[in-house]
Amino acid sequence: MHLRICLLLTFAFSLFGPLALKAQEKKGDFEFNIGISTPGLYSIADTENKRYSAPGVLNFYALGDWTLSDLSKESYNSTLFPSVSAEISYRLADAGFFKRLSVVGYTGLHVAYYQDVNVVYGTKDTKEFAIKMDCLLGVRYHIVDGTRCCMYTQAFLGKEIRNGCDYWDVTGNVVNRGELGERDICWHLTFLGFRFKPKNGNVGFMTELGYGSEYCLGSIPVFPGVRIGASYLF
């Protein structure tokens, strides 16, 4: 796991390192923000308070015939913590269509404190932490591109690194894998993002509404998750 993290960080630095040198000559092309958000898609597959669901079905109770082995697969008494994340973007051009486009790197940390509830084999006595980190790369389109106020939309695709616990084998596999087999690809869409900063200074406030591996509020995109934080333009 540590090797994979090092490789991903090396890739990120190799991508944004040359751009950072260029930013010293041309101020305002970069934006860096850190934020806190509602949990990602795994939250809709998390079943709490001894509620059970059939494999591949997200919290529906009257679909199909179940067996005891079904009940043993998808139940956790858990606490989901807000996700912490960082994002850096680089504007591609100063004029023309590409002026409204930025390449964006994103990393998010997700934590759940859970207890395995199993009516067939017995419930574990203790709780443990489930931790995963997402590393994504995406494109941002600036809808409103003002100096003090900016509105944008963006899309990401990337990979996740999970610690070795059963929690992700349930929530992660149901949401991200389904019937497609093992893979560790994650995705996220920011429907609308906003950045505000004062007239003088580079530090501002940002908020995003989106749906995917980083933040959501329900099983359908009608209920987007929320991310808020501080931004720095340079």
Side-chain angles (χ1 to χ4, degrees), residues 1-15 107 133-136 158-161:
M1 176 176 175
H2 293 91
L3 177 61
R4 296 176 67 183
I5 294 176
C6 291
L7 291 174
L8 286 170
L9 291 176
T10 301
F11 170 75
F13 282 122
S14 65
L15 177 65
T107 181
M133 183 178 74
D134 296 340
C135 296
L136 304 97
K159 304 195 75 173
E160 61 181 23
I161 303 172

Side-chain angles (χ1 to χ4, degrees), residues 33-44 79-87 106-113 130-136 160 167-168 171 186-188 206 208 210-217 225-230:
N33 65 61
I34 54 175
I36 188 169
S37 67
T38 55
L41 274 175
Y42 60 92
S43 62
I44 66 175
T79 300
L80 302 182
F81 294 94
S83 298
V84 179
S85 54
E87 187 178 73
Y106 187 105
T107 181
L109 181 66
H110 310 276
V111 179
Y113 189 50
I131 302 171
K132 82 180 181 86
M133 183 178 74
D134 296 340
C135 296
L136 304 97
E160 61 181 23
Y167 182 86
W168 302 120
T171 60
C186 52
W187 59 272
H188 187 81
M206 55 75 55
E208 295 175 348
Y211 188 83
S213 64
E214 303 312 300
Y215 42 92
C216 76
L217 282 181
V226 180
R227 177 175 180 259
I228 59 174

Side-chain angles (χ1 to χ4, degrees), residues 8-23 30-31 87-91 102-106 136-138 156 234:
L8 286 170
L9 291 176
T10 301
F11 170 75
F13 282 122
S14 65
L15 177 65
F16 287 101
L19 300 179
L21 294 176
K22 188 178 179 181
F30 274 85
E31 184 219 342
E87 187 178 73
I88 185 169
S89 67
Y90 173 73
R91 187 185 300 273
S102 296
V103 60
V104 190
Y106 187 105
L136 304 97
L137 188 64
F156 296 97
F234 61 102

Side-chain angles (χ1 to χ4, degrees), residues 28-210:
D29 290 337
F30 274 85
E31 184 219 342
F32 174 77
N33 65 61
I34 54 175
I36 188 169
S37 67
T38 55
L41 274 175
Y42 60 92
S43 62
I44 66 175
D46 180 279
T47 55
E48 300 181 10
N49 300 323
K50 299 185 179 180
R51 296 181 299 171
Y52 300 94
S53 60
V57 179
L58 305 182
N59 293 335
F60 289 96
Y61 291 89
L63 297 179
D65 297 326
W66 300 352
T67 65
L68 285 179
S69 61
D70 294 332
L71 295 178
S72 71
K73 293 180 180 180
E74 297 187 19
S75 183
Y76 292 104
N77 179 19
S78 56
T79 300
L80 302 182
F81 294 94
S83 298
V84 179
S85 54
E87 187 178 73
I88 185 169
S89 67
Y90 173 73
R91 187 185 300 273
L92 292 178
D94 294 329
F97 174 79
F98 288 99
K99 179 182 179 180
R100 292 186 176 270
L101 294 180
S102 296
V103 60
V104 190
Y106 187 105
T107 181
L109 181 66
H110 310 276
V111 179
Y113 189 50
Y114 78 100
Q115 180 184 28
D116 191 349
V117 179
N118 192 317
V119 296
V120 179
Y121 301 106
T123 299
K124 289 184 178 180
D125 296 329
T126 59
K127 282 191 171 186
E128 58 183 298
F129 284 98
I131 302 171
K132 82 180 181 86
M133 183 178 74
D134 296 340
C135 296
L136 304 97
L137 188 64
V139 176
R140 173 185 296 179
Y141 178 75
H142 297 264
I143 302 171
V144 176
D145 194 19
T147 303
R148 298 177 59 185
C149 178
C150 175
M151 181 172 69
Y152 55 88
T153 182
Q154 56 192 9
F156 296 97
L157 190 65
K159 304 195 75 173
E160 61 181 23
I161 303 172
R162 310 183 299 179
N163 69 333
C165 66
D166 295 337
Y167 182 86
W168 302 120
D169 291 337
V170 173
T171 60
N173 290 353
V174 169
V175 173
N176 293 334
R177 293 155 180 76
E179 302 299 328
L180 299 179
E182 288 296 326
R183 57 188 175 91
D184 53 4
I185 295 175
C186 52
W187 59 272
H188 187 81
L189 297 174
T190 300
F191 302 142
L192 284 178
F194 302 89
R195 186 190 72 237
F196 307 94
K197 79 177 191 68
K199 184 176 181 180
N200 298 319
N202 295 334
V203 178
F205 167 80
M206 55 75 55
T207 183
E208 295 175 348
L209 302 174

